[in-house]
Amino acid sequence: MIRAVSHVAAMGAYALADLGGPDTVSLAQNESAFPASPAAIAAGKAMLDQMPLYPDPEWPDLRGAIAETHGLEPETILCGAGSMELIGCLIRAFAGAGDQVLGTDYGYAFVASASAQVQAVYAKAHEEDLTVSVDNILAAVTSATRIVFLCNPGNPTGTLIPNTEITRLRDTLPEDVMLVVDQAYAEFADRLEDPAEIFNLVKRSDTVVMRTLSKAYGLAGARAGWGYFPPAIAAEVRKLLNPNNISIPSQAMAAAALRDQAHMRDVVAKTAAIRDGFADGCRALGLTVPQSHTNFVLIRFADADAATRVDAALRQEGLLMRGMGGYGLADCLRATICSQHVMDRALTVLKGVLK
Ligand SMILES: *Cc1c(COP(=O)(O)O)cnc(C)c1O
């Protein structure tokens, strides 16, 4: 019999969202409710005749667009087939068997999976009131801790901690512990917290910042994420990346999307308006919804049973939210913000079940 190595055989498959049938409207994967910039779509189409070629392994145009947009040095930006690829390579390069990778209660599930791939131990620092606690992270650090992952704003909570707290975390963590700040939803919070402050931490040479085109830019299907790395960390991660990781049209779409900041800001504003109205509608039904700084909301029901009943009723209507049992939040559902019409339908279902 052909056997996998034992730690892979012992692993579960990465738990992707249940997407329902072909007629189901997904509110489950935090995809954008709005199309990408028309300039991005045109740029992708214009590249289709390049498909016999391998994509540029240095992503020069995309890196240039990221550097211009955020005022960063292009040399230490790495691009991935989604930031998932970068997170996986970073863990493979900097954690091994028995090392600890430290996240938080409701941190990104993929980090746990990538840690298991290298037999590192994934530990979680407690969050307080569905919000990351820097003190609890610091208290959970041990001599085995190699990497701390902090998602801000958080997924699935949507909550935000201030940059001053992230700086305090970095200043207090041991220097041989890497801090990774996953900012997959930062475009929804960049008005509140100056992104330059977090990018500046990278200069310390022990901190990495991750971003993605998958959420606010509406390009989840393009598989384009990026990170800002200290040079020595970038050099190691680079060795593990798939050399031609982002397709030619995807690189072009991502670069054009970044150069159309007006479109992204418009999408963020429209999404936030629908989100805040939907959250208020849920609160009016007596539900708990933490203030979200993302394109989704976490809805807390009276108990797991109520969440299950709502989930079933939504499915009856062809709507699918994300169950949160895997995060120990069986009394919650996470709802990606879709069009106003879809959110109105969802709220009607909630009202019907909870009345
Ligand atoms: C969506 C998401 C990402 C980005 O994933 P991609 O691979 O870039 O599509 C990263 N972290 C978190 C927490 C996310 O929700």
Side-chain angles (χ1 to χ4, degrees):
M1 183 180 158
I2 313 280
R3 285 182 214 278
V5 293
S6 57
H7 71 276
V8 172
M11 272 176 68
Y14 182 64
L16 288 164
D18 172 5
L19 296 179
D23 297 329
T24 307
V25 179
S26 165
L27 294 77
Q29 296 212 102
N30 299 343
E31 294 149 326
S32 178
F34 299 97
S37 156
I41 293 166
K45 283 186 179 158
M47 290 294 170
L48 294 179
D49 62 356
Q50 305 277 315
M51 293 304 262
L53 308 178
Y54 281 107
D56 193 313
E58 296 292 330
W59 332 277
D61 188 42
L62 172 54
R63 256 179 166 178
I66 295 164
E68 286 158 31
T69 303
H70 293 285
L72 306 177
E73 303 296 330
E75 296 75 28
T76 68
I77 295 167
L78 294 182
C79 301
S83 44
M84 285 178 111
E85 184 188 22
L86 296 168
I87 290 168
C89 291
L90 189 72
I91 291 173
R92 294 215 299 280
F94 290 94
D99 289 335
Q100 188 202 59
V101 175
L102 181 60
T104 64
D105 272 342
Y106 313 116
Y108 191 26
F110 181 69
V111 175
S113 172
S115 301
Q117 290 174 22
V118 297
Q119 296 178 271
V121 178
Y122 181 66
K124 296 175 185 179
H126 287 304
E127 299 196 19
E128 304 286 348
D129 211 8
L130 299 170
T131 306
V132 165
S133 158
V134 163
D135 288 326
N136 290 352
I137 294 173
L138 290 168
V141 171
T142 72
S143 58
T145 308
R146 300 293 309 273
I147 313 177
V148 169
F149 272 90
L150 172 71
C151 188
N152 196 51
N155 172 18
T157 58
T159 57
L160 181 74
I161 64 167
N163 286 348
T164 49
E165 278 295 277
I166 297 174
T167 303
R168 182 168 77 86
L169 173 63
R170 180 62 276 178
D171 286 343
T172 318
L173 278 174
E175 281 177 10
D176 60 356
V177 173
M178 189 194 308
L179 174 64
V180 181
V181 187
D182 180 350
Q183 295 197 312
Y185 300 94
E187 290 80 9
F188 294 91
D190 277 346
R191 270 183 315 109
L192 295 171
E193 294 288 331
D194 180 8
E197 223 174 302
I198 298 303
F199 288 127
N200 275 333
L201 293 177
V202 174
K203 294 195 187 119
R204 298 174 40 118
S205 74
D206 52 15
T207 303
V208 172
V209 181
M210 300 280 185
R211 290 213 174 198
T212 183
L213 278 288
S214 294
K215 307 289 163 52
Y217 291 97
L219 286 176
R223 309 310 299 126
W226 59 277
Y228 196 44
F229 293 78
I233 296 178
E236 302 299 336
V237 173
R238 192 74 179 88
K239 295 176 191 170
L240 300 180
L241 288 178
N242 180 335
N244 304 102
N245 57 354
I246 310 180
S247 76
I248 294 172
S250 289
Q251 291 193 37
M253 285 190 281
L258 280 153
R259 292 191 174 109
D260 191 352
Q261 289 289 301
H263 178 86
M264 183 275 285
R265 288 204 192 97
D266 184 50
V267 165
V268 165
K270 285 196 286 210
T271 305
I274 299 170
R275 175 194 71 205
D276 292 345
F278 178 74
D280 283 343
C282 291
R283 290 183 194 117
L285 298 173
L287 303 171
T288 304
V289 182
Q291 172 64 51
S292 169
H293 299 276
T294 64
N295 66 339
F296 58 84
V297 290
L298 186 73
I299 310 169
R300 182 162 243 169
F301 298 89
D303 50 34
D305 189 54
T308 305
R309 277 187 287 120
V310 168
D311 184 43
L314 286 165
R315 284 168 190 261
Q316 282 284 317
E317 291 298 314
L319 302 173
L320 194 56
M321 292 183 185
R322 185 83 175 250
M324 290 285 117
Y327 286 95
L329 295 171
D331 56 344
C332 296
L333 294 174
R334 190 191 68 191
T336 304
I337 302 307
C338 295
S339 67
Q340 186 68 59
H341 173 65
V342 169
M343 300 323 286
D344 289 346
R345 279 176 59 200
L347 197 58
T348 303
V349 173
L350 264 62
K351 275 181 193 155
V353 178
L354 300 170
K355 71 172 182 285

